[in-house]
């Protein structure tokens, strides 16, 4: 069967786990002929796949090659944006990946991230102050991550709203959806974004600041990112760090609202926040599936995997593998150790994980402590999406 289609049925959109449990148990290396893709659902197979050199992250180049083979014009706006995205480290293999990752690493040093604790808390409090009930995603979980990234890049406060629009437009282009006119409109926005980042880069060159963008300019290193690469990097950080973090905050809050005992325990003992956030990333994390492109023949659990095929690493299934996690379908807010793969593993493991954890911890911590009467006001619906685990809205009363 076409698994992508199965995962998009209304039942599986609401709750993909029964289907993933069945696959993990009966067909852990599942072939979907329609998609020419393998689905890995066991923790050990997913973990090993993250280290398998036959599996490539270079996922944009094949898409561009296929477009070219179909004779689609190379000067279309879509192709121009695909060209920008093909510079991203998340779709690169070594050695290009190693170089980009090393140059970006300076911006993600632990100290730089922990120094943002107070400003993120202030931002969250500001959003909660203005929140009088309704959609908690629109009110808190959605605006926070884009504002944090804008702040980290050193963008002026007045420009921060535009980051959210650009982030939505990037997602539209990366994941598709909407008609081609929406696509075109999104591309217009992305050109504006590129111009914006370039002028920000120019400013920082003449006037270095204590921000992430300045850090990524790598003034002390011989090798430097070009302006093209810096602009693409800013776009990647916005894209990779926005919806994921929104969903991490929203999914965690929903799981707690559905478990009043855990919520009460967490309110009594805020020291449980760390393990709670890890557990909820495991239990219902923002990314269900990560893709790889097969470049060399390889074998997984006795199956031959051939070049040109794709492999889906189903994080949502690995994170509930009973071989790895006791009582995987149960939330245990004190679970430790908790070696979940919500942030991936290996050379591409999320570079923003510390920041994402901090944002989720602060947002969830402030939401539960500052909104003591928080309650679900409507049964939330999940977006029909294969790769992400994302609520349409989280309607609450406060
Ligand atoms: C990579 C998850 C937040 C930036 C990844 C990967 C995962 C992931 C699974 C691996 C992708 C792969 O192997 O192909 C998440 C989750 C987040 C989150 C669940 C929120 C809870 C962030 C944030 C940022 C960020 C806040 C930055 C501001 C990146 C980048 C990569 C990445 C740049 C690519 C790293 C590389 O290719 O070496 N993320 N992420 N992420 N993430 Fe995150």
């Amino acid at each position: 069967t076409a698994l992508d289609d199965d995962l998009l049925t209304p039942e599986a959109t609401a709750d993909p786990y029964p289907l993933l449990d069945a696959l993990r148990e009966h067909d852990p290396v599942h072939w979907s002929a329609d998609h020419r893709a393998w689905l890995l659902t066991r923790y050990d197979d997913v973990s090993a796949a993250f280290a398998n050199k036959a599996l490539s992250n270079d996922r944009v180049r094949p898409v561009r090659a296929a477009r070219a083979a179909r004779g689609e014009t190379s000067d279309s706006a879509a192709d121009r944006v695909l060209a920008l995205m093909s510079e991203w480290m998340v779709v690169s293999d070594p050695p290009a990946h190693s170089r980009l990752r090393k140059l970006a690493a300076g911006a993600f040093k632990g100290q730089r991230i922990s120094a943002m604790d107070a400003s993120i808390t202030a931002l969250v409090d500001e959003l909660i102050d203005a929140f009088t009930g309704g959609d908690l995603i629109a009110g808190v979980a959605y605006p926070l991550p884009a504002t944090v990234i804008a702040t980290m890049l050193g963008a002026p406060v007045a420009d921060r709203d535009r980051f959210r629009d650009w982030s939505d437009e990037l997602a539209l282009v990366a994941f598709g959806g909407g008609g081609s006119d929406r696509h075109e409109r999104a591309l217009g926005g992305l050109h504006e974004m590129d111009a914006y980042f370039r002028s920000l880069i120019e400013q920082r060159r003449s006037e270095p600041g204590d921000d992430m963008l300045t850090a990524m300019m790598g003034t002390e290193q011989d090798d430097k990112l070009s302006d093209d690469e810096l602009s693409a990097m800013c776009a990647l950080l916005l894209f990779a760090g926005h919806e994921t973090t929104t969903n991490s905050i929203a999914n965690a809050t929903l799981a707690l609202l559905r478990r009043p005992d855990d919520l009460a325990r967490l309110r009594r003992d805020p020291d449980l926040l760390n393990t709670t956030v890890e557990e909820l990333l495991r239990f219902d994390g923002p990314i269900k599936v990560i893709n790889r492109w097969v470049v060399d023949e390889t074998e997984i659990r006795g199956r031959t995997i051939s070049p040109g095929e794709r492999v889906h690493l189903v994080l949502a299934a690995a994170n509930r593998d009973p071989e790895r996690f006791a009582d995987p379908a149960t939330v245990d807010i004190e679970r430790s150790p908790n070696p979940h793969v919500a942030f991936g593993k290996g050379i591409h493991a999320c570079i923003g994980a510390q920041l994402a954890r901090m944002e989720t911890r602060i947002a969830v911590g402030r939401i539960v402590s500052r909104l003591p009467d928080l309650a679900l006001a409507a049964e939330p619906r999940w977006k029909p999406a294969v790769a992400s685990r994302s609520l349409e809205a989280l309607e609450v009363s406060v």
Side-chain angles (χ1 to χ4, degrees):
T1 58
L3 204 109
D4 284 8
D5 298 338
D6 290 351
L7 271 174
L8 289 176
T9 61
E11 297 74 37
T13 295
D15 181 8
Y17 297 104
L19 178 64
L20 299 180
D21 287 347
L23 274 176
R24 190 197 311 103
E25 194 176 339
H26 304 294
D27 191 12
V29 184
H30 172 84
W31 172 244
S32 162
D34 290 11
H35 297 268
R36 298 190 55 75
W38 298 90
L39 269 104
L40 308 184
T41 41
R42 293 215 175 144
Y43 184 93
D44 288 348
D45 293 344
V46 169
S47 287
F50 276 118
N52 187 337
K53 292 195 170 66
L55 306 181
S56 164
N57 265 59
D58 191 349
R59 292 160 288 191
V60 175
R61 204 174 33 174
V63 174
R64 292 175 77 198
R67 287 175 58 84
R70 286 197 303 269
E72 280 163 357
T73 55
S74 61
D75 65 340
S76 74
D79 218 74
R80 289 199 302 276
V81 170
L82 285 173
L84 172 104
M85 288 178 165
S86 66
E87 303 278 323
W88 287 358
M89 71 173 119
V90 73
V91 293
S92 306
D93 293 328
H97 170 264
S98 338
R99 170 177 173 266
L100 291 170
R101 175 110 186 178
K102 190 169 155 226
L103 288 163
F108 286 93
K109 289 218 174 87
Q111 265 177 318
R112 177 178 294 280
I113 305 299
S114 25
M116 297 208 43
D117 194 296
S119 66
I120 295 177
T121 305
L123 260 168
V124 168
D125 279 342
E126 218 175 277
L127 294 168
I128 294 178
D129 286 342
F131 185 69
T132 54
D135 182 8
L136 188 67
I137 295 178
V140 180
Y142 177 74
L144 180 70
T147 312
V148 168
I149 294 163
T151 311
M152 290 185 84
L153 291 174
V157 183
D159 297 333
R160 287 176 192 169
D161 284 351
R162 297 158 75 187
F163 278 70
R164 296 178 217 165
D165 296 337
W166 293 332
S167 165
D168 289 346
E169 284 155 3
L170 277 166
L172 197 59
V173 172
F175 299 131
S180 61
D181 65 316
R182 275 180 68 200
H183 211 122
E184 285 296 319
R185 275 212 310 276
L187 291 165
L190 295 180
H191 283 296
E192 184 193 304
M193 174 189 74
D194 186 47
Y196 181 90
F197 286 148
R198 279 164 199 280
S199 78
L200 203 61
I201 289 162
E202 214 165 284
Q203 275 173 32
R204 283 303 172 289
R205 283 212 195 286
S206 54
E207 227 179 292
D210 183 25
D211 53 76
M212 197 175 200
L213 186 54
T214 307
M216 287 191 303
M217 288 179 173
T219 39
E220 299 117 54
Q221 284 144 315
D222 298 340
D223 188 16
K224 287 186 181 37
L225 292 170
S226 68
D227 284 6
D228 280 0
E229 290 170 328
L230 274 169
S231 175
M233 185 75 82
C234 291
L236 169 61
L237 297 183
L238 182 59
F239 171 70
H242 189 202
E243 205 196 304
T244 44
T245 312
T246 295
N247 293 338
S248 154
I249 296 166
N251 299 2
T253 306
L254 175 63
L256 287 169
L257 284 170
R258 291 216 162 119
R259 288 170 185 75
D261 292 350
D262 288 329
L263 179 54
R265 251 172 86 212
L266 178 61
R267 281 182 167 137
R268 277 195 311 271
D269 185 359
D271 286 348
L272 294 178
L273 205 46
N274 274 324
T275 48
T276 301
V277 166
E278 291 311 306
E279 175 67 346
L280 297 176
L281 280 163
R282 178 195 72 81
F283 179 74
D284 214 358
I287 302 183
K288 284 190 286 193
V289 177
I290 288 285
N291 287 308
R292 293 290 187 263
W293 191 264
V294 184
V295 288
D296 289 312
E297 187 173 295
T298 185
E299 206 186 279
I300 302 178
R301 215 171 269 281
R303 300 287 196 100
T304 302
I305 316 283
S306 304
E309 296 170 349
R310 285 187 304 154
V311 176
H312 290 326
L313 284 59
V314 188
L315 308 184
N319 281 337
R320 291 198 186 197
D321 187 338
E323 297 276 321
R324 198 71 183 86
F325 301 97
D327 276 332
T330 302
V331 168
D332 170 4
I333 62 172
E334 288 187 73
R335 192 184 292 269
S336 174
N338 192 342
H340 66 75
V341 286
F343 290 113
K345 228 174 155 151
I347 60 168
H348 289 279
C350 183
I351 200 171
Q354 190 192 342
L355 174 63
R357 288 180 154 116
M358 189 162 103
E359 288 184 63
T360 308
R361 212 160 52 224
I362 294 173
V364 172
R366 301 303 282 177
I367 287 168
V368 304
S369 69
R370 292 201 50 207
L371 302 172
D373 298 321
L374 187 71
L376 266 184
E379 193 49 38
R381 273 179 303 126
W382 296 93
K383 289 183 190 167
V386 175
S388 66
R389 180 79 172 143
S390 180
L391 289 166
E392 302 269 9
L394 185 56
E395 296 290 337
V396 295
S397 55
V398 294

